[in-house]
Amino acid sequence: GAGVSQSPSNKVTEKGKDVELRCDPISGHTALYWYRQSLGQGLEFLIYFQGNSAPDKSGLPSDRFSAERTGGSVSTLTIQRTQQEDSAVYLCASSMRQNYEQYFGPGTRLTVT
Amino acid sequence: DQQVKQNSPSLSVQEGRISILNCDYTNSMFDYFLWYKKYPAEGPTFLISISSIKDKNEDGRFTVFLNKSAKHLSLHIVPSQPGDSAVYFCAASGGGADGLTFGKGTHLIIQP
């Protein structure tokens, strides 16, 4: 595709439910990143994939968060037992290689009620 | 501890004048710096970047200056246009992190 796409664009869920967010990176980009932006804050780095592997998962806020990437392409970010503090915009980005310009998707706005 | 700081939450500039957005960083291991522009309900859009081996990079109306000794960078937009009104994020790469480290952003408002 022409750019990074994310789905859904908006998600409202009840506290305690699980959610799954999807990211389709730019074709050929080997590096994929997840960030989140809480209200009034900058972007907070969550996790990075080089190919299908994530070398370091320590940026994930808690063990309720997990992410995977398959086929070197699509990635999913899963949040289990959502809490109100998980409400944020979750952004995915991809780049040709690590530490190069990253191109962002439009984000998924998650609201936990 | 914020490693990338944008101390001006907002900036108002008259159309046609120069906009100067500032950014400071604390991690001396950062080796690549980027500016992103963000409109509401959209993801950040890459604008311009600079490697730590340079002190200036220019692209059309946008110029980024890097002062490594002061750990400071700035984005100059000249002339400023109404479409430049957006939130601008400074970001840094390296320093041991896998992802980019972002500042909190500066909301630039171009006045007609």
Side-chain angles (χ1 to χ4, degrees):
Chain A
V4 178
S5 61
Q6 292 185 245
S7 60
S9 54
N10 278 285
K11 177 71 177 179
V12 180
T13 190
E14 289 181 356
K15 178 181 170 181
K17 295 284 179 71
D18 297 353
V19 295
E20 191 173 278
L21 313 179
R22 176 187 167 106
C23 171
D24 278 280
I26 292 172
S27 177
H29 280 192
T30 58
L32 185 147
Y33 309 78
W34 284 97
Y35 296 84
R36 75 174 175 182
Q37 184 179 19
S38 302
L39 192 64
Q41 301 296 312
L43 280 74
E44 173 191 6
F45 169 70
L46 299 180
I47 193 168
Y48 151 71
F49 286 90
Q50 180 57 47
N52 290 333
S53 64
D56 182 0
K57 299 181 181 180
S58 63
L60 294 174
S62 77
D63 57 9
R64 297 184 294 103
F65 286 70
S66 63
E68 64 174 18
R69 188 181 185 193
T70 55
S73 182
V74 172
S75 176
T76 54
L77 177 69
T78 302
I79 310 172
Q80 295 178 307
R81 306 181 303 282
T82 52
Q83 303 294 311
Q84 287 185 332
E85 62 261 28
D86 300 334
S87 296
V89 176
Y90 289 81
L91 291 152
C92 175
S94 70
S95 65
M96 290 174 59
R97 58 179 188 270
Q98 190 185 14
N99 295 332
Y100 201 64
E101 286 83 15
Q102 297 179 19
Y103 294 88
F104 284 81
T108 293
R109 179 174 296 278
L110 175 66
T111 304
V112 182
T113 62
Chain B
D1 178 34
Q2 240 191 312
Q3 297 188 63
V4 177
K5 298 177 186 178
Q6 294 178 257
N7 291 321
S8 298
S10 66
L11 175 67
S12 185
V13 174
Q14 202 165 17
E15 182 179 355
R17 307 292 285 267
I18 184 171
S19 295
I20 300 176
L21 297 135
N22 292 303
C23 177
D24 297 291
Y25 62 95
T26 58
N27 190 334
S28 58
M29 298 301 291
F30 286 142
D31 57 9
Y32 197 64
F33 302 89
L34 309 92
W35 283 94
Y36 283 83
K37 174 181 179 180
K38 187 179 184 302
Y39 292 119
E42 295 183 10
T45 302
F46 169 72
L47 265 181
I48 192 168
S49 62
I50 188 166
S51 165
S52 61
I53 62 173
K54 295 187 174 181
D55 56 18
K56 178 183 175 181
N57 188 26
E58 191 172 352
D59 184 2
R61 297 186 297 116
F62 303 92
T63 303
V64 56
F65 295 92
L66 175 62
N67 182 334
K68 282 178 60 181
S69 60
K71 294 192 180 68
H72 177 84
L73 66 154
S74 60
L75 174 68
H76 291 210
I77 307 172
V78 56
S80 301
Q81 299 174 353
D84 296 331
S85 295
V87 177
Y88 288 78
F89 289 97
C90 171
S93 176
D98 286 332
L100 296 176
T101 303
F102 281 84
K104 291 190 176 183
T106 296
H107 185 194
L108 176 65
I109 301 161
I110 305 301
Q111 306 274 11

